[in-house]
Each structure stands twice: as structure tokens, then as C-alpha cells.
């Protein structure tokens, strides 16, 4: 079992505010995500800027692509993204087209999806899945629980590198002890903290405490 990555989700409305955060914590976290909101607001310019500042980091374009997979993936890859997300309801041809243009494709699990679908994603060579507690679900009072952990474990058994996200805090991480999580993704857990640098270090230190160096 390897140490999980720490990924920051830059779901900012402006490139200026995203850069203000990422320049503080980019060297602490492992993966930098140009979040969906930032992708919609600032487009590929955000990807280009962040890749230029952190050329050695993996950059994720969180497009949640549902269609035109090849075109969207080529555009973000040309801008500097290494990985891209597709939404789980996208068709297999959309996923296959996108997969050809980026280093790795990540399937975002929202709403209703099945393990039968997950098996079909693995069958076409997709290695990464993102298990999600949505912002809206969390605001409605849902929390991480055994039902989530069971699904995460099954996805890992199917051969996925599984990232988890959605309302994560440093205290939440211990729920996943003993599970081979690939990446913990947090946005506001770092960016909304009074001291983002301390918050990023707290996440990183807790991951190391639980999973080792």
C-alpha cells in the first residue's frame, strides 16, 4: 500500500485568485487541479499558467467532459494538462476518444452509476476513478460513511486507482485507514483555510502519519 497523493482543487472564479492560492501551496501538494469552475471561467489560459509555474507537477483539467471527448482532451493537453476528467454518464466512445489525447483519463462518479459500468471503463483501459461526495450532497447533510468506504474498496478491487473528494477534512482521513486510496482531493479544505500553507501541511502530515512516507 503506497502513500496517497494530495491534490488541490482550484475551483476559483478567477485565475488571479487561483494563482494566489496555488503559488502558496503548489510545492506542498502532489497534484494540481484546474477545477471545473476555473475551467469554465478562464479556459485553457488557467492550465497554461499553472503548468508554466509548476512544470514538474501533474496538472488535471477537471472538465467533467460529457461529449466531444477527443476535442476537449486535445485542447486541454495542448494547454499543458496531463490528466482530464470525464463524467460517468459519458458514452464509451467519448471516453475512448478522450483517452487517446491525454496521459490518463479519470472518470468522475456522480449520481447513478453501476459497477457493471465501471467494469466497462476498465475494459477500455481507464485506470482512474474519482469517488465523489458532491458539494450539494454535503450541503444537504450527507457525510462520509461505511457505504462510501465499501464502494471505494470495490472500485479498488476492480483495478482502479481511486481518488476520493468532497468535503474532506484532516479528521476525515482516518476513516480511510487501511484502504489503498490513490489520491485525496480537497479544495476549500486548503483554499478556504485561514492559513492555506498550514492546512496543506496538516493534510500531508496526516497522510504520512497514516500511510507512511
Amino acid at each position: 500500500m503506497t502513500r496517497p497523493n494530495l491534490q488541490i482543487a482550484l475551483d476559483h472564479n478567477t485565475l488571479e485568485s487561483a494563482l494566489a492560492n496555488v503559488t502558496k501551496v503548489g510545492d506542498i501538494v502532489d497534484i494540481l487541479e484546474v477545477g471545473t469552475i476555473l475551467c469554465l471561467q478562464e479556459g485553457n489560459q488557467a492550465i497554461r499558467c499553472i503548468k508554466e509555474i509548476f512544470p514538474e507537477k501533474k496538472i488535471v483539467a477537471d472538465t467533467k467532459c460529457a461529449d466531444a471527448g477527443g476535442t476537449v482532451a486535445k485542447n486541454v493537453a495542448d494547454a499543458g494538462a496531463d490528466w482530464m476528467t470525464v463524467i460517468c454518464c459519458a458514452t464509451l466512445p467519448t471516453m475512448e476518444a478522450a483517452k487517446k489525447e491525454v496521459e490518463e483519463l479519470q472518470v468522475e462518479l456522480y449520481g447513478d452509476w453501476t459497477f457493471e459500468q465501471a467494469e466497462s471503463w476498465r475494459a477500455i483501459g481507464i485506470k482512474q476513478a474519482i469517488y465523489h461526495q458532491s458539494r450539494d450532497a454535503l450541503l444537504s447533510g450527507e457525510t462520509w460513511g461505511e457505504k462510501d468506504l465499501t464502494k471505494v474498496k470495490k472500485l479498488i478491487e476492480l483495478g482502479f486507482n481511486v481518488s476520493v473528494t468532497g468535503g474532506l477534512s484532516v479528521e476525515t482521513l482516518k476513516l480511510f485507514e487501511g484502504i489503498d486510496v490513490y489520491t485525496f482531493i480537497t479544495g476549500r479544505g486548503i483554499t478556504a483555510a485561514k492559513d492555506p500553507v498550514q492546512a496543506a501541511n496538516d493534510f500531508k502530515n496526516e497522510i504520512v502519519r497514516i500511510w507512511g512516507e
Side-chain angles (χ1 to χ4, degrees):
M1 191 175 295
T2 57
R3 175 179 62 81
N5 298 300
L6 177 60
Q7 176 174 322
I8 186 171
L10 300 167
D11 269 321
H12 299 68
N13 277 304
T14 68
L15 179 55
E16 181 181 17
S17 59
L19 292 177
N21 274 132
V22 76
T23 52
K24 293 176 184 175
V25 302
D27 289 325
I28 300 169
V29 302
D30 304 296
I31 301 168
L32 308 176
E33 173 193 324
V34 180
T36 307
I37 294 169
L38 188 58
C39 281
L40 290 170
Q41 292 294 101
E42 300 283 2
N44 287 343
Q45 181 66 14
I47 299 171
R48 290 190 188 97
C49 286
I50 293 168
K51 188 66 173 181
E52 185 173 337
I53 298 169
F54 296 100
E56 77 288 356
K57 297 285 185 177
K58 292 293 183 187
I59 307 293
V60 181
D62 187 19
T63 62
K64 295 182 175 65
C65 182
D67 197 11
T71 301
V72 174
K74 185 177 188 308
N75 288 345
V76 299
D78 287 347
D82 303 289
W83 302 344
M84 186 187 93
T85 66
V86 292
I87 196 72
C88 58
C89 61
T91 65
L92 290 180
T94 292
M95 294 182 183
E96 288 180 303
K99 185 175 174 293
K100 293 175 183 177
E101 303 293 340
V102 291
E103 181 183 312
E104 285 202 34
L105 198 64
Q106 301 173 306
V107 181
E108 286 246 28
L109 305 178
Y110 276 100
D112 295 326
W113 56 275
T114 67
F115 286 105
E116 184 178 1
Q117 286 176 296
E119 289 171 354
S120 70
W121 304 328
R122 282 296 296 130
I124 63 171
I126 293 175
K127 299 176 183 177
Q128 293 199 47
I130 301 174
Y131 187 86
H132 213 287
Q133 281 273 32
S134 76
R135 180 181 299 186
D136 293 335
L138 290 163
L139 288 173
S140 71
E142 292 188 26
T143 58
W144 288 95
E146 192 58 43
K147 62 180 176 60
D148 302 301
L149 301 181
T150 298
K151 290 178 181 178
V152 169
K153 290 175 187 175
K154 186 163 183 180
L155 287 165
I156 293 170
E157 289 171 3
L158 289 176
F160 286 100
N161 291 331
V162 180
S163 300
V164 296
T165 187
L168 293 176
S169 66
V170 174
E171 292 72 30
T172 317
L173 299 183
K174 62 179 178 290
L175 295 174
F176 297 89
E177 187 168 359
I179 301 175
D180 196 10
V181 173
Y182 185 60
T183 301
F184 288 107
I185 306 171
T186 182
R188 288 164 296 146
I190 293 175
T191 61
K194 288 183 179 179
D195 185 342
V197 173
Q198 184 63 55
N201 279 316
D202 288 346
F203 270 100
K204 198 70 174 283
N205 291 338
E206 181 69 353
I207 289 171
V208 170
R209 186 190 71 79
I210 296 171
W211 284 271
E213 291 285 353

